[in-house]
Amino acid sequence: MFGLFKRDPVKKLRKIYDSKLEQAMLAQRKGDMRLFADLTAESEALWQQIEQLQKQTAKVNTP
């Protein structure tokens, strides 16, 4: 019941992840390959964090 008002950290990270991917796409379209590579690396690191959080929540929620 008290978990009802907690914010989902995965949802927040997913939003940031999507934003980074969009920025990377725009950088690629402009021809800025260095910025594209940096943003892609950042988004990959975020994806690793998302996966870890999802595994942790799956372990907690399993009976």
Side-chain angles (χ1 to χ4, degrees):
M1 176 170 172
F2 294 108
L4 178 66
F5 298 109
K6 288 186 178 179
R7 301 235 167 140
D8 187 14
V10 174
K11 189 174 181 181
K12 181 180 177 181
L13 285 176
R14 186 66 180 238
K15 190 173 183 179
I16 296 169
Y17 171 76
D18 291 339
S19 174
K20 291 283 182 187
L21 283 180
E22 185 177 355
Q23 290 173 3
M25 178 197 60
L26 292 173
Q28 186 180 24
R29 283 185 180 175
K30 290 180 182 178
D32 191 352
M33 290 297 123
R34 171 129 358 223
L35 181 60
F36 170 72
D38 291 341
L39 290 170
T40 304
E42 289 177 21
S43 67
E44 288 295 322
L46 283 170
W47 185 252
Q48 293 297 322
Q49 289 178 358
I50 290 169
E51 286 182 338
Q52 287 177 351
L53 284 173
Q54 287 177 339
K55 286 180 185 177
Q56 288 174 355
T57 56
K59 287 180 184 178
V60 171
N61 292 335
T62 41

